[in-house]
Every structure is written in structure tokens, then in C-alpha cells.
Amino acid sequence: MEILSSAPHTLHLFAEYACAAIEFISIIIILCGVAAAIARGLRLALSRRRAAKNEWLHLRLSLEETLMLGLQFLMAADIIGTISNPDLQGVIVLTVIVLLRVVLSFTLSREVAEMDRREREAEGRAPSDEKHDADEPRSKNTHYPKGR
């Protein structure tokens, strides 16, 4: 009977250690992402050739992805902490982290779509060309007129 009476305390203690470990992992992820972004940015800034706008966009996107991953770990830690010790402050922190993640996800998806559009334009293909390409199967003999 003594084991069952100490179970809630043991579970709470385990949740505290799990939260601390997951928060530590999120800090490491974010720090590594920021360090990699700084190194990559310095390389772009100090390179002899002029960096394309696309390269800076890729840098921002990779940093945002890293931040999202770190926020996911923080959200996991806060969920565990809120479940094991529900209080108003924990719920507020969890809400703020979820909102930040939603905003970052929205921003990231918009920027990825914009980057894809720019890359298509740089290749000389307009979005209307894709629909045309999808309607017609590609073949090796493209020299024949359409009527054949």
C-alpha cells in the first residue's frame, strides 16, 4: 500500500525531470540553429561574390525551421508540465508557445511558397506552363506538330 501512496509524488518528480531534459534539448536545438545561421550568414556576407537574394531567404527559412523545432520541444515540455502540475501560469506559457508556433508555421509556409514561385520564374517557367505540362505527357519526340 505504501508504494501506491508514493506514486503521485514519483510521477510528479519524473515529469519535472522530463520537462527539464526536454527544455534543455530545445535550448541546444535553438542555439545550434542560431550558431549555424550566424556562420552561414557571415560566409554569405564575406564571400567575394554577391550572394543571391535566394540564398538569404534559404538562410532565414532554415533558421525558422530550427526555431519551430525548438518550440515544438518546448511545447512538449510545457504539456508534460501542465499535465503534472496544472496551474494558470503553465497554461498561459503553453498558449503563448502554441501561438508562436502557429505564426512561425504560417510565415514559413508562405515564404516557402514564395521561394518556389521565384525559382520557377528564374527557370523561365510561369505557373500557367505547369498546367500545360501536366495536361500533355512528355515524350522524347517533341518535334512533331500537335496534330500528329
Side-chain angles (χ1 to χ4, degrees):
M1 221 40 184
E2 193 175 305
I3 294 173
L4 291 177
S5 65
S6 68
H9 176 69
T10 305
L11 183 61
H12 182 72
L13 190 62
F14 176 75
E16 283 183 26
Y17 286 126
C19 285
I22 294 170
E23 286 173 347
F24 179 75
I25 291 169
S26 70
I27 291 169
I28 296 298
I29 289 170
I30 292 171
L31 286 176
C32 287
V34 168
I38 289 171
R40 191 170 164 193
L42 286 174
R43 233 184 344 234
L44 285 174
L46 298 176
S47 68
R48 294 182 185 222
R49 65 176 180 81
R50 187 167 184 259
K53 190 174 184 180
N54 227 12
E55 291 175 303
W56 288 105
L57 186 60
H58 280 286
L59 173 65
R60 279 190 55 214
L61 291 176
S62 66
L63 179 60
E64 285 180 7
E65 287 175 341
T66 303
L67 289 175
M68 283 181 53
L69 181 62
L71 283 175
Q72 287 174 337
F73 274 85
L74 279 175
M75 193 168 47
D78 285 334
I79 288 171
I80 292 170
T82 303
I83 289 171
S84 70
N85 187 16
D87 64 338
L88 184 60
Q89 182 181 358
V91 172
I92 291 171
V93 168
L94 182 60
T95 304
V96 169
I97 289 175
V98 168
L99 288 175
L100 278 173
R101 189 181 175 282
V102 166
V103 168
L104 277 175
S105 291
F106 178 73
T107 304
L108 185 64
S109 64
R110 276 188 52 201
E111 288 185 4
V112 166
E114 178 67 19
M115 189 174 64
D116 287 343
R117 185 186 65 80
R118 286 182 184 175
E119 286 178 356
R120 273 189 265 119
E121 287 176 358
E123 292 173 357
R125 298 184 65 184
S128 61
D129 291 342
E130 287 179 0
K131 183 181 181 301
H132 181 69
D133 286 349
D135 293 342
E136 291 183 7
R138 292 186 180 184
S139 67
K140 291 181 183 176
N141 298 328
T142 56
H143 302 292
Y144 293 106
K146 266 194 161 181
R148 292 191 160 192

